[in-house]
Amino acid sequence: MEKALYEDEDKVVKVAMEIVIAAGDARNKAGKALDCVEAFDFEKAKIHLAEARGEILKAHNAQTEMIQAEISGEESIPPSLLFNHAQDTLMTIMTEVNLTEKMITLFEKFYKKMEEGT
């Protein structure tokens, strides 16, 4: 029988919640970045975006560690609806952060054009 990486379901829950919390923090930071764009503070928006990317990285690393352990065949992870939810949440918020980055770039270019009067 395969050794379970997370023999205790509490550990799967812990990692899933780690992913959800970090992803949620990324969403909040992306929202703050867009608030800064609304105020035409593009430098501060980029700071919040970088923070959002850091949170996404934390969540992604937690997810990747579990996946790699199972793929390598050295560990087995029991199916978990909560872990699946965490992965869905992460992917959704990664998309939001990517769109936020594009919006910052777009609005900053537009704002500069408007300032130039062209």
Side-chain angles (χ1 to χ4, degrees), residues 19 57 59-70 83 90:
I19 293 167
L57 183 60
H60 188 261
N61 287 342
Q63 170 190 259
T64 300
E65 182 180 316
M66 288 185 70
I67 292 170
Q68 286 179 340
E70 184 153 33
F83 187 70
L90 175 57

Side-chain angles (χ1 to χ4, degrees), residues 9 29 32 73 76 92:
E9 280 190 38
K29 291 174 189 304
K32 286 180 181 180
S76 178
T92 299

Side-chain angles (χ1 to χ4, degrees), residues 23-43:
D25 289 345
R27 175 179 274 160
N28 290 337
K29 291 174 189 304
K32 286 180 181 180
L34 290 175
D35 290 342
C36 291
V37 168
E38 185 178 8
F40 305 106
D41 188 347
F42 299 105
E43 292 310 311

Side-chain angles (χ1 to χ4, degrees), residues 38-55:
E38 185 178 8
F40 305 106
D41 188 347
F42 299 105
E43 292 310 311
K44 197 168 184 182
K46 290 174 188 176
I47 291 169
H48 287 300
L49 181 65
E51 292 170 350
R53 290 224 175 270
E55 294 297 329

Side-chain angles (χ1 to χ4, degrees), residues 6-15 78-80 82:
Y6 298 100
E7 293 171 1
D8 181 338
E9 280 190 38
D10 288 343
K11 291 182 182 179
V12 174
V13 169
K14 180 180 177 253
V15 173
S80 167
L82 182 59

Side-chain angles (χ1 to χ4, degrees), residues 69-88:
E70 184 153 33
I71 288 173
S72 70
E74 59 192 61
E75 313 275 356
S76 178
I77 301 167
S80 167
L81 183 58
L82 182 59
F83 187 70
N84 289 346
H85 168 67
Q87 289 180 294
D88 288 343

